[in-house]
Amino acid sequence: MKRIHCLLVLLAGLLALPAQAAPAIQHWVTPEGVRVYFIENHDLPILDLEIDFAAGGAYAPATKAGLAGLTNGLLDGGIEGLDEEQIAGRLVDLGARLGAAVDADRASLSLRTLSSATERDGALDLMQRILTHPVFPEAIVEREKARAIAALQEADTRPDAIGSKRFMAALYPGHPYGVTPTVDTVARITRDDLIAFHQRYYAARRAVVSLIGDVSRGEAEALVRRLTAGLPAGVADAGLPPVSLPDAATIRIPHPAAQSHIWIGMPALKRGDPDSYALQVGNYTLGGGGFVSRLMKEVREKRGYAYSVYSGFSARREMGPFQIGLQTKREQSADALKVVDGVLSGFLHDGPTPAELEAAKRNLADSLALRTDSNAKLLGYLAVIGFYGLPLDYLDTYPARIRAVTADEVRAAFARHVEASHLVTVIVAGDAR
Amino acid sequence: MKKFLLALMLCPTLMAAPARANPFETRLSNGLRIIVKEDHRAPTAVNMVWYQAGAMDEQEGVSGVAHVLEHMMFKGTKKIGPGEFSRRVAAAGGNDNAFTTADYTAYFEQVPKARLAEMMAMEADRMAHLELTEKEFSSEIKVVMEERRWRTEDQPQSKVYEGLMATAFEAHPYHRPVIGWMGDLENMTYQDARDWYRTWYAPNNATVVVVGDVDHKVVFRLAEKEFGAIPARALPRRRPRTEPVQEGIRRISVKAPARLPYLMMAWKAPKLQDVHKDRDPYALEVLSGILDGHEAARLGRHLVREQRIAQSAGAGYDGTLRGEALFILDGQPAQGHTIAELEAALRAEIKRIQDEGVSAEELARVKVQTIAGQVYKRDSMMAQAMEIGGAEMNGLGWRSLDTLLEKVRSVTADEVQAVARKYFSDDTLTVAVLDPQPVDANAPPRPAPVHHH
């Protein structure tokens, strides 16, 4: 009876998969060298837009770590003719939401606005001035440095922050990916540093604009021209230094927390690596597939060792980290770690079973519809496709690429990207008492 | 009654004002309410089942059982083994989860639309046929204790919030944390969870909310097919457990490893009861928006950016809930400033509105934000489903959602000033502070002391 039921479910699943074409991505390059990615969608009267620069944390000197984030965060600290309060007030009056974000590779400004011309144009013009002519007022720079330092000092008391910092430093010795801001590096940053960083890195040739929403192609072209008018041409991104792999190590950091925080991982994956499909499929079974992964089953479901346990690859321009993470009552951290090590080495050795492979492929392929069912989610994909130069048909071909992965490919890809001789383990608050 | 309703739904010519008909609602004869909002932008759907049973319905000594049961709902029925529920959702290309608050417990699956029927069948199955065994419970309760360590024991600000609620509410069940006291979790049994399930998990205590690329008539038929046979059950009387009037300021402090102190100030405030007649809850909502509703709001501007007394500062008020409402201010003092200075500065912000009122410009800003927020919310099916379900659980109902917006937009500057004068007396104030302790790696972990005064 159960089998028949499963067969029916399977059939329903197959029938339920019309070739749901991903929305068409339009792409062009402005005369100044800005790459543009656009999806036209008139369902809602809104426009979402993001501009990304190769200006993330990895582009700042190690002695001034935090410079990329401060520069990005202070763009709206003042422009000619408007102070920070006037900028904030004007955006609020327009009903617009301006976001700023920095990761290792990218620095971004994003805007969500109503698509009606007055609101849209008003918000965009303001964003343009913020982007191209920030003043970085001295007093505001000093205030935000002080806030950043206070936040860093607070973070230095937290087991999760202490551990993740140490983890990245251990994975990337001597590489910008291993550098995180400290009280000293932030204290060293001056207003002149911000001006110079902005001048050099917020440039047309380093920029990618992604937009989705209620505008025509013609309107989109005009909007992008207006937004990027005034950006210096600059120099195209020369890339980041290659990553060298660390030796395997275990690092223990004492802390009085009730739970141990544990990380295991190594540098593993570049954006655009052809292995990324096989790694995604494999990782789903290992620890990416939420409640159905092996780590979740063995650590949480069977033994009650943790509330959260996961694994994942964060692809970056250069090799981004593979990491496993969990938190567990400190008295049982050695036992939990043993289980995690066992799951990982078992998976590296055997790869997924046929049933696991099938489940992973089906979920990853079929859930694309869910991962692209809003403008906000699509904007995220657009920005990654654009910034990392992934093919324009990335979303269209994704399900087929996933479905084509074999168990042998998963094993081989994991063997190439996750090696025991390079795995670093960091344990905060791990000693039993 | 049911037959009549269904006939109405199936006959489009009888349906009044189709343009305003979305969402669509029906009710089965067993009391289960179904609300469907059609959104055809993408070929997906979110299926939610909301139970009006949350931590506030728990008895003394079994705090946390509402949330523990939420975990146990993934542990199987006769048809679907432990862990199988999530496995099937995943196989459908979907994802699932659940959440528990003081007021309710809700479960959801986001799936490609063609898999909705299967999700509804599985939710109906676990509404009526959960197999709650001692074996599964004994393993899962450990997970919940890990969750408590992760969310609360090692989170200084969470401990302050827990202490604040336990102090502000003495009689009302908001006194207890949703996750439960650790001692109660340690002493909970699988029978406690089973009792909870048998008491509250009935169709007449639940609401199904579906948002997505679906036909509401089809969803109504599915609901009847899957849930229709589950019998209604008499629900226990819900005692109001009213909080007595607070007659004097209450202060507590919590020690924990940290660097920055943290302050929370909570005043007792009215909640929204009559959507049409009440005024003060809307004015409090606008007051909270003027203080902290957007990037240009007062607390960030005055305390963080201008006076530089605060590292962070915020305000919050939720008047749409089952229990009793608080108006909360919170923040961290900036380096070189004290908790006392921050408290004085926060009080000064209230005082300024009491004395000088608010400007037309500020009022307009809050309203623009509210309107834009409603448009942006339509980009997310989950956000729409959350809004509908939340309104059903707090008793106001989804039909009140448009009225709530209109009412907020009708608030005047005088009304904002009036509520600032009316509800910020020290007599109903509770203050909780984090007293940061140096991180001593060799000190044994503390069992979360909370001092009541």
Side-chain angles (χ1 to χ4, degrees):
Chain A
M1 186 58 209
K2 196 173 173 202
R3 245 178 226 157
I4 291 168
H5 180 70
C6 282
L7 186 68
L8 286 176
V9 169
L10 184 84
L11 279 175
L14 290 176
L15 294 173
L17 287 173
Q20 184 71 44
I25 299 175
Q26 304 183 46
H27 170 56
W28 65 93
V29 181
T30 70
E32 296 76 27
V34 177
R35 289 155 286 157
V36 187
Y37 296 79
F38 170 54
I39 296 175
E40 185 170 343
N41 182 307
H42 301 283
D43 290 344
L44 296 176
I46 64 176
L47 173 70
D48 285 279
L49 180 148
E50 175 171 327
I51 183 162
D52 291 280
F53 296 92
Y59 293 90
T63 51
K64 295 191 174 177
L67 177 56
L70 264 186
T71 304
N72 182 256
L74 283 173
L75 290 174
D76 62 356
I79 53 181
E80 215 122 308
L82 292 180
D83 68 18
E84 60 176 343
E85 302 305 338
Q86 291 167 315
I87 293 172
R90 194 168 290 191
L91 284 166
V92 171
D93 291 339
L94 291 163
R97 298 192 179 161
L98 186 73
V102 167
D103 63 21
D105 294 339
R106 290 190 280 172
S108 323
L109 269 193
S110 59
L111 177 72
R112 171 163 266 196
T113 173
L114 302 171
S115 57
S116 41
T118 314
E119 281 76 15
R120 182 192 74 197
D121 293 349
L124 215 86
D125 285 344
L126 200 52
M127 185 175 176
Q128 186 269 336
R129 291 166 69 190
I130 288 166
L131 200 57
T132 53
H133 293 96
V135 175
F136 300 119
E138 186 76 53
I140 291 177
V141 172
E142 286 313 309
R143 183 193 72 209
E144 291 306 311
K145 277 174 60 181
R147 287 183 71 209
I149 286 169
L152 284 168
Q153 288 172 331
E154 179 64 34
D156 285 343
T157 70
R158 314 281 312 133
D160 44 351
I162 294 168
S164 64
K165 260 185 172 183
R166 190 71 186 83
F167 180 68
M168 293 308 279
L171 252 58
Y172 296 100
H175 190 275
Y177 285 172
V179 177
T180 41
T182 67
V183 171
D184 288 343
T185 64
V186 171
R188 235 177 255 135
I189 296 168
T190 66
R191 174 171 183 258
D192 287 344
D193 293 327
L194 298 182
I195 292 168
F197 191 85
H198 173 259
Q199 183 67 26
R200 177 166 171 196
Y201 292 109
Y202 284 69
R205 291 194 182 112
R206 310 176 70 83
V208 174
V209 175
S210 313
L211 65 167
I212 176 169
D214 181 27
V215 290
S216 67
R217 165 70 182 250
E219 287 171 319
E221 288 189 21
L223 288 172
V224 174
R225 268 199 304 276
R226 269 164 72 172
L227 176 67
T228 57
L231 281 181
V235 181
D237 182 24
L240 293 165
V243 167
S244 48
L245 297 178
D247 291 336
T250 298
I251 297 159
R252 294 174 180 279
I253 304 168
H255 192 280
Q259 279 185 319
S260 308
H261 291 242
I262 300 172
W263 292 257
I264 302 167
M266 62 177 284
L269 185 63
K270 284 193 204 188
R271 279 285 175 193
D273 188 313
D275 280 344
S276 69
Y277 297 97
L279 292 174
Q280 274 186 65
V281 169
N283 182 63
Y284 181 89
T285 298
L286 175 61
F291 291 112
V292 298
S293 74
R294 281 194 196 179
L295 282 171
M296 204 67 154
K297 274 183 201 149
E298 295 300 322
V299 177
R300 173 171 159 156
E301 304 296 316
K302 279 196 192 159
R303 296 175 179 85
Y305 278 167
Y307 173 65
S308 152
V309 54
Y310 64 89
S311 67
F313 293 87
S314 318
R316 294 184 178 180
R317 181 72 76 202
E318 291 299 322
M319 277 195 289
F322 162 75
Q323 74 182 66
I324 294 174
L326 70 152
Q327 306 84 33
T328 188
K329 186 165 73 170
R330 60 189 302 150
E331 292 80 2
Q332 69 200 11
S333 64
D335 294 335
L337 193 54
K338 215 172 286 170
V339 174
V340 171
D341 284 341
V343 169
L344 178 60
S345 60
F347 185 79
L348 291 177
H349 191 263
D350 299 328
T353 66
E356 286 173 331
L357 181 76
E358 193 45 44
K361 286 158 64 169
R362 182 177 302 173
N363 178 271
L364 289 171
D366 292 0
S367 65
L368 186 66
L370 282 176
R371 286 181 275 144
T372 54
D373 69 359
S374 72
N375 290 10
K377 293 177 190 175
L378 279 166
L379 183 72
Y381 277 105
L382 267 188
V384 166
I385 288 169
F387 187 79
Y388 291 105
L390 305 182
L392 282 186
D393 63 357
Y394 175 81
L395 292 173
D396 294 307
T397 60
Y398 179 88
R401 301 284 304 258
I402 289 290
R403 287 194 194 102
V405 170
T406 66
D408 284 341
E409 286 169 352
V410 171
R411 261 191 306 273
F414 267 80
R416 279 192 287 275
H417 294 266
V418 180
E419 300 166 79
S421 57
H422 299 294
L423 280 176
V424 172
T425 302
V426 170
I427 307 161
V428 180
D431 47 331
R433 294 184 190 280
Chain B
M1 187 61 197
K2 176 188 72 188
K3 267 181 195 151
F4 172 71
L5 262 181
L6 274 178
L8 203 72
M9 295 302 170
L10 294 175
C11 183
T13 52
L14 288 179
M15 279 175 29
R20 280 301 305 143
N22 200 12
F24 303 86
E25 176 177 341
T26 190
R27 191 170 197 153
L28 306 187
S29 59
N30 60 13
L32 181 69
R33 198 188 293 272
I34 327 288
I35 300 161
V36 180
K37 186 166 187 185
E38 297 185 5
D39 181 337
H40 302 290
R41 300 170 58 223
T44 62
V46 51
N47 179 47
M48 302 194 81
V49 181
W50 299 68
Y51 295 90
Q52 201 182 52
M56 70 175 283
D57 301 299
E58 294 163 349
Q59 303 297 313
E60 286 304 322
V62 284
S63 66
V65 70
H67 170 251
V68 168
L69 196 272
E70 176 218 308
H71 278 235
M72 295 310 296
M73 284 284 276
F74 294 86
K75 295 302 182 178
T77 63
K78 281 193 186 70
K79 272 193 214 157
I80 296 181
E84 181 71 12
F85 191 101
S86 295
R87 202 195 62 73
R88 289 194 189 189
V89 177
N95 62 72
D96 64 327
N97 216 325
F99 47 91
T100 308
T101 73
D103 290 1
Y104 56 77
T105 310
Y107 302 81
F108 68 86
E109 299 84 38
Q110 297 172 283
V111 287
K113 64 174 177 179
R115 310 305 287 270
L116 177 65
E118 194 186 339
M119 300 302 117
M120 292 179 76
M122 293 200 303
E123 284 292 4
D125 180 44
R126 70 177 172 181
M127 177 183 284
H129 305 296
L130 189 66
E131 293 266 278
L132 220 159
T133 65
E134 186 163 15
K135 177 174 169 288
E136 293 294 336
F137 175 88
S138 62
S139 165
E140 196 61 23
I141 193 73
K142 291 184 199 157
V143 173
V144 174
M145 287 190 258
E146 292 294 346
E147 185 178 352
R148 183 182 158 86
R149 289 183 189 101
W150 180 68
R151 283 192 194 284
T152 309
E153 306 291 334
D154 283 346
Q155 302 285 352
Q157 294 193 3
S158 301
K159 285 204 270 191
V160 174
Y161 178 71
E162 193 171 88
L164 177 89
M165 295 300 279
T167 308
F169 293 107
E170 293 178 331
H172 192 275
Y174 281 180
H175 172 85
R176 295 185 305 258
V178 173
I179 189 90
W181 302 115
M182 192 60 111
D184 287 355
L185 295 175
E186 282 164 352
N187 289 294
M188 199 176 287
T189 68
Y190 81 103
Q191 287 103 330
D192 293 323
R194 204 164 56 187
D195 289 348
W196 181 262
Y197 177 69
R198 287 177 179 170
T199 305
W200 296 113
Y201 280 62
N204 44 316
N205 195 36
T207 301
V208 172
V209 178
V210 174
V211 176
D213 187 12
V214 297
D215 177 339
H216 69 279
K217 297 188 289 294
V218 173
V219 178
F220 286 173
R221 279 199 295 272
L222 277 171
E224 173 63 40
K225 172 171 169 271
E226 302 298 347
F227 292 92
I230 303 172
R233 254 203 324 261
L235 298 170
R237 178 178 158 225
R238 295 180 199 263
R239 296 169 192 275
R241 296 154 95 179
T242 316
E243 181 69 18
V245 173
Q246 186 175 333
E247 294 167 319
I249 193 168
R250 297 172 189 167
R251 288 182 180 274
I252 65 157
S253 74
V254 177
K255 289 184 178 178
R259 169 95 185 193
L260 290 173
Y262 175 60
L263 166 72
M264 298 189 86
M265 307 174 74
W267 287 266
K268 300 278 166 59
K271 72 166 180 174
L272 183 60
Q273 287 176 301
D274 186 322
V275 172
H276 297 285
K277 290 191 189 131
D278 285 348
R279 292 301 301 172
D280 286 1
Y282 301 116
L284 286 163
E285 177 83 33
V286 172
L287 173 62
S288 146
I290 284 170
L291 290 171
D292 187 34
H294 51 77
E295 290 294 313
R298 286 193 180 202
L299 294 185
R301 173 175 187 160
H302 295 161
L303 304 193
V304 177
R305 298 197 291 272
E306 287 175 5
Q307 298 167 34
R308 303 182 190 186
I309 278 177
Q311 170 79 4
S312 64
Y317 165 74
D318 180 2
T320 55
L321 29 63
R322 283 179 57 206
E324 301 196 8
L326 294 172
F327 194 106
I328 298 180
L329 300 180
D330 75 335
Q332 297 168 296
Q335 204 86 304
H337 292 275
T338 63
I339 281 282
E341 287 173 279
L342 178 60
E343 183 181 327
L346 287 168
R347 286 173 179 274
E349 289 299 317
I350 299 292
K351 177 91 171 35
R352 193 188 311 199
I353 293 177
Q354 289 169 344
D355 294 345
E356 300 163 25
V358 299
S359 70
E361 187 195 28
E362 285 179 295
L363 209 58
R365 275 182 182 168
V366 171
K367 294 174 186 179
V368 167
Q369 285 296 301
T370 310
I371 298 162
Q374 279 310 109
V375 178
Y376 298 148
K377 192 175 279 169
R378 289 164 57 200
D379 191 35
S380 164
M381 291 190 195
M382 190 69 193
Q384 297 176 74
M386 289 291 293
E387 184 176 51
I388 291 168
E392 289 303 306
M393 291 299 109
N394 65 37
L396 300 173
W398 63 265
R399 285 188 179 79
S400 71
L401 288 168
D402 286 347
T403 313
L404 297 186
L405 281 180
E406 280 165 33
K407 292 285 182 179
V408 166
R409 282 151 64 180
S410 75
V411 169
T412 66
D414 286 346
E415 287 178 310
V416 175
Q417 187 174 25
V419 293
R421 286 177 174 165
K422 191 167 169 189
Y423 294 110
F424 292 84
S425 146
D426 268 14
D427 287 351
T428 67
L429 170 62
T430 301
V431 182
V433 302
L434 170 66
D435 178 4
Q437 302 296 301
V439 179
D440 179 358
N442 298 312
R446 259 181 312 276
V450 176
H451 309 289
H452 294 251
H453 294 289

